[in-house]
Amino acid sequence: MKFVCLTLLLVSGITDSRSEQYEVVGPADPVFAVAGEDVILPCSVKPNISVVDMRVEWFRLDLKDSLVHLYDDHEDRNTGQIQSYRGRTKLNHQELQRGKASLKLSTVQDSDEGRYKCLIQSKSWYDDATVDVRIEVIGSPPVITVDGFDRSGGLHLHCESEGWYPEPDLEWLDSEGVSLSSETTETIRNTDRFSVKHTVTVYDSNDKIHCRVKLRHHMLETLIKTTNNIFNFWRTSVILISVIVVLIVIAGILITVFTHKKRVSAELKRVSTELKRIQQYAVDVTLDPDTANPKLILSDDGKQVRDGDIRQKLPDKPERFDTCPCVLGKEGFSSGRFYFEVQVKGKTKWDLGVVRESINRKGVITVTPSNGCWTVALRNENEYKACASPSVSLCVRVKPQRVGVFVDYEEGLLSFYDVESSSHLYSFTDQSFTGKLYPYFCPCFNDGGKNSTPLIITPVNYNK
């Protein structure tokens, strides 16, 4: 019995000692594969022994469902294989007899990148090796485009290539193979692809410029010949384009000026026609001295008014303005249409328009439609505004010398015109007039003689 046990121990020791002599080996460096092509993942037993009767299993170390390929009991058993590897893996059964269990992976995909384990196992022995697979995607051939000249005569070239993985290197070379420095570099990553774009400026008119994109063992290259014809063509093009741009700008300015003049001319014609139409509603307006502020001086004919600086002793009637330098026309209007004109030449300030009969005559007046006042005004010699809520600044082409005021009572319309230039100044529309409306005149204060010129009610020259 002791002899039998000793014999078994000796056999077991011999077997263990022999199994320790075998090793599964793989590549020391990563295996690089190009997307779309086939690749061999090396795996073998050293020293070489047949693995036909052994189990060979390839699986991914970085995936949960990791089986890539399984050989067992003399046949491939890939029912549990990762879906993306179906139909793309193959073991050469003849090579198994020589101890080689390398796996062929067809039509490589981006997702194939990762760490693989090659496991070989017999009934009494097993070992494994790791294979690191790196996937490369070759992008599009580089495209060189010409982007004109700079001021010093250098030719700008752009080179662009896209669809690479991992990020490639792009370089410019001259005809001697000397590297040229890129002035601008741009790398864009879209999902799992890289696009590269570099710019260079060349000054030699007879040279071959290469744009080369490299990725480890792969390279794509494009060249352009910078001949005199290219330089001359681009210089001529730049001159022609510059001339064309200048001509276009000049033409644009001329068209704009012509269109503007045409539009202004049409507007002037329209306003002139409109003004002639409403001048037929002219009324004879005379100033009412009983409403005039005591500082105002009225002409004997009741057609002119100015500020006299000195407060006169006049009866304090209810209808008289006691604070604001204002005066109303004698006659009020409660229906129909009426029109009058006032000369404002030489003045730095004034207010003109119409007011409701019930307007407050005492104290400071806020001149707005809500308070029964519809006026336009001049301040600081050249600041024109409509006294609305809020006030509206008016843009005038020329300084009005004579202002026309037109009211259409039933339409709720009050319009102001520059009579001499036949231009429209402003209109209050959709107003609700109630009671009588009176012409309103405010020459404003004398301002030390700067605003001493009177407002003058002028006759209307109506020509059909």
Side-chain angles (χ1 to χ4, degrees), residues 425-461:
L425 296 176
Y426 188 78
S427 287
F428 292 93
T429 58
D430 300 322
Q431 303 298 305
S432 297
F433 297 137
T434 58
K436 285 188 176 182
L437 297 179
Y438 285 83
Y440 172 86
F441 307 86
C442 179
C444 295
F445 294 116
N446 191 301
D447 197 16
K450 295 180 182 178
N451 191 40
S452 60
T453 304
L455 291 176
I456 304 173
I457 302 172
T458 60
V460 175
N461 296 321

Side-chain angles (χ1 to χ4, degrees), residues 122-389:
S122 68
K123 293 180 179 180
S124 61
W125 166 88
Y126 74 90
D127 195 15
D128 59 55
T130 300
V131 180
D132 188 10
V133 177
R134 306 282 179 84
I135 305 301
E136 296 180 342
V137 180
I138 308 303
S140 63
V143 176
I144 299 176
T145 56
V146 180
D147 193 32
F149 288 85
D150 60 18
R151 293 183 178 179
S152 60
L155 182 65
H156 291 293
L157 299 177
H158 294 296
C159 182
E160 184 173 7
S161 183
E162 56 187 18
W164 293 81
Y165 181 83
E167 182 180 350
D169 295 320
L170 187 152
E171 63 177 342
W172 291 97
L173 303 169
D174 63 13
S175 57
E176 303 296 328
V178 178
S179 179
L180 304 175
S181 298
S182 296
E183 296 169 359
T184 61
T185 63
E186 181 181 357
T187 302
I188 301 174
R189 181 165 187 172
N190 297 319
T191 312
D192 292 325
R193 296 289 188 272
F194 289 90
S195 297
V196 289
K197 182 178 182 180
H198 289 207
T199 302
V200 72
T201 300
V202 296
Y203 297 91
D204 193 341
S205 60
N206 286 289
D207 200 357
K208 294 179 180 179
I209 306 300
H210 301 254
C211 175
R212 178 179 295 171
V213 184
K214 297 188 300 182
L215 185 62
R216 297 188 179 96
H217 309 101
H218 304 279
M219 179 184 72
L220 295 178
E221 183 174 290
T222 301
L223 71 84
I224 183 173
K225 295 182 179 180
T226 58
T227 63
N228 284 325
N229 290 336
I230 291 180
F231 275 74
N232 293 336
F233 171 77
W234 276 101
R235 290 191 180 107
T236 304
S237 298
V238 169
I239 295 173
L240 289 176
I241 290 172
S242 300
V243 172
I244 291 172
V245 169
V246 171
L247 291 176
I248 290 174
V249 171
I250 293 174
I253 293 173
L254 292 175
I255 291 172
T256 301
V257 171
F258 176 76
T259 303
H260 178 70
K261 284 185 176 181
K262 190 174 181 180
R263 189 183 301 116
V264 170
S265 178
E267 177 66 13
L268 288 175
K269 186 176 180 180
R270 184 190 67 79
V271 174
S272 178
T273 302
E274 179 181 305
L275 192 56
K276 288 179 180 179
R277 178 182 62 81
I278 64 177
Q279 283 177 332
Q280 64 181 304
Y281 299 104
V283 294
D284 185 15
V285 177
T286 302
L287 301 174
D288 183 359
D290 291 337
T291 63
N293 180 284
K295 282 190 176 183
L296 297 184
I297 298 176
L298 277 60
S299 63
D300 293 339
D301 60 359
K303 300 295 183 181
Q304 302 183 27
V305 58
R306 63 181 177 85
D307 178 52
D309 266 345
I310 300 175
R311 191 176 185 87
Q312 306 172 71
K313 293 182 179 181
L314 299 173
D316 187 15
K317 297 181 179 182
E319 61 269 29
R320 187 182 305 280
F321 292 93
D322 66 351
T323 301
C324 294
C326 311
V327 60
L328 303 182
K330 281 187 176 181
E331 184 178 356
F333 304 87
S334 57
S335 64
R337 300 167 180 170
F338 63 94
Y339 173 83
F340 61 93
E341 294 178 356
V342 181
Q343 180 177 303
V344 295
K345 182 179 180 180
K347 294 193 65 61
T348 60
K349 301 177 183 178
W350 51 258
D351 293 53
L352 288 175
V354 299
V355 297
R356 193 180 294 129
E357 183 179 22
S358 60
I359 186 177
N360 178 32
R361 314 290 178 94
K362 308 302 179 183
V364 178
I365 302 172
T366 302
V367 185
T368 60
S370 59
N371 290 326
C373 305
W374 294 268
T375 63
V376 294
L378 167 65
R379 295 292 183 269
N380 302 319
E381 295 189 38
N382 56 12
E383 297 176 8
Y384 295 87
K385 66 177 180 177
C387 301
S389 296

